């Protein structure tokens, strides 16, 4: 069964800390996505990866195809980073449907 | 960047009435629109996939006669919850995109539906 496993489920950090969220998936993905869901419910697409590493501001996403693993890093975390971070993949056999991880609830305290 | 405008952002309706939720793609054409629902503290659940000009494909367990999806143009897709009941109360969100490798997804801002 093709699933997406995320860890941790909940994460509390102090402002300024380096944060890592992990995601594991099964073989056969065409792409992996990191999404951010704000408390109001809106979802923003942060990254789409099929290989390597991407950086945007304080956010870094990496993917290791051999290990079937991806990480989302937040450097110099800030309270405004508090949100739910969701890993999602598209499996080739499912076309363009996203398969979602359960999400990581991040709270950054000042 | 690409924007999907979703309306309304929240709605309260009486049991037995119908509610229509709209998602419009701004500045791009959304060939494919995905509709999700999300219960509190749970992940997104795909309800259906709609392609412009054709019938929507519903996921197993989703009643197509209850959740009517129309995707009549490349910039507008609608979800109508018919004869709503309290158990339909949820967060509904649409997403456009994913039409091929290298294409990302753009999400609407979501609609919180409360049926009383």
């Amino acid at each position: 069964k093709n699933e997406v496993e995320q860890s941790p489920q909940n994460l509390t950090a102090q402002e300024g800390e380096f944060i890592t969220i992990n995601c594991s998936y099964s073989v056969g993905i065409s792409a992996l996505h990191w999404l951010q869901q704000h408390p109001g419910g809106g979802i923003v697409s942060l990254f789409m990866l099929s290989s390597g590493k991407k950086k945007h501001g304080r956010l870094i996403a990496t993917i290791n195809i051999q290990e079937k693993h991806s990480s989302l890093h937040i450097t110099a975390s800030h309270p405004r980073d508090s949100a739910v971070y969701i890993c999602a993949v598209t499996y080739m056999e499912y076309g363009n449907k996203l398969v979602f991880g359960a999400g990581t609830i991040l709270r950054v305290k000042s | 960047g690409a924007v999907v405008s979703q309306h309304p952002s929240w709605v309260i309706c009486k049991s037995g009435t119908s509610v229509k939720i709209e998602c419009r793609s701004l500045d791009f054409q959304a060939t494919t629109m995905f509709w999700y629902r999300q219960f509190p503290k749970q992940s997104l659940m795909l309800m259906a996939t709609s392609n412009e000009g054709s019938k929507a494909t519903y996921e197993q367990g989703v009643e197509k006669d209850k959740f009517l999806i129309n995707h009549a143009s490349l910039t507008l897709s609608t979800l109508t919850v018919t004869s709503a009941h309290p158990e339909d109360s949820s967060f509904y969100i649409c997403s456009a995109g994913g039409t091929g490798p290298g294409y990302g997804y753009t999400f609407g801002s979501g609609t919180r539906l409360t049926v009383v």
Side-chain angles (χ1 to χ4, degrees):
Chain A
K1 182 179 177 183
N2 293 336
E3 292 182 333
V4 178
E5 302 279 344
Q6 255 186 266
S7 63
Q9 287 186 333
N10 291 279
L11 181 56
T12 300
Q14 276 303 127
E15 184 174 356
E17 286 185 357
F18 181 84
I19 288 164
T20 296
I21 300 171
N22 296 298
C23 176
S24 297
Y25 53 87
S26 302
V27 66
I29 69 166
S30 52
L32 182 142
H33 302 256
W34 281 103
L35 311 171
Q36 179 191 52
Q37 185 167 29
H38 294 285
I43 294 175
V44 174
S45 179
L46 299 174
F47 295 104
M48 181 175 67
L49 296 161
S50 54
S51 65
K53 175 180 173 178
K54 288 189 176 180
K55 184 175 188 293
H56 186 253
R58 295 179 295 105
L59 302 178
I60 302 166
T62 63
I63 187 168
N64 184 318
I65 300 297
Q66 287 73 30
E67 298 287 323
K68 299 190 288 293
H69 180 268
S70 175
S71 292
L72 175 69
H73 305 287
I74 305 175
T75 61
S77 60
H78 190 275
R80 64 175 175 267
D81 297 326
S82 299
V84 178
Y85 292 83
I86 303 169
C87 174
V89 303
T90 47
Y91 284 105
M92 293 179 206
E93 65 179 291
Y94 298 145
N96 55 2
K97 290 184 188 180
L98 285 170
V99 178
F100 297 91
T104 295
I105 302 171
L106 171 65
R107 181 182 168 216
V108 181
K109 298 193 289 186
S110 57
Chain B
V3 174
V4 172
S5 176
Q6 183 170 348
H7 292 281
S9 54
W10 61 271
V11 58
I12 301 172
C13 71
K14 289 186 177 179
S15 190
T17 61
S18 296
V19 173
K20 180 186 282 189
I21 301 168
E22 291 189 350
C23 278
R24 293 182 185 273
S25 56
L26 308 181
D27 300 327
F28 75 102
Q29 294 180 330
T31 310
T32 302
M33 192 74 79
F34 301 90
W35 287 95
Y36 302 92
R37 67 189 296 183
Q38 184 180 35
F39 292 107
K41 299 191 186 302
Q42 294 188 23
S43 192
L44 294 157
M45 184 191 82
L46 180 65
M47 299 175 67
T49 303
S50 73
N51 291 293
E52 184 268 336
S54 61
K55 288 184 179 180
T57 302
Y58 290 81
E59 295 299 300
Q60 195 171 11
V62 178
E63 298 175 60
K64 62 181 181 183
D65 294 330
K66 180 166 186 62
F67 300 99
L68 300 178
I69 290 172
N70 185 286
H71 195 161
S73 79
L74 287 170
T75 59
L76 175 65
S77 179
T78 62
L79 166 68
T80 301
V81 183
T82 62
S83 187
H85 289 282
E87 57 264 31
D88 298 323
S89 298
S90 187
F91 185 72
Y92 294 86
I93 191 165
C94 62
S95 170
T99 54
Y103 289 89
Y105 297 81
T106 303
F107 290 82
S109 53
T111 297
R112 193 159 303 281
L113 169 65
T114 302
V115 185
V116 297

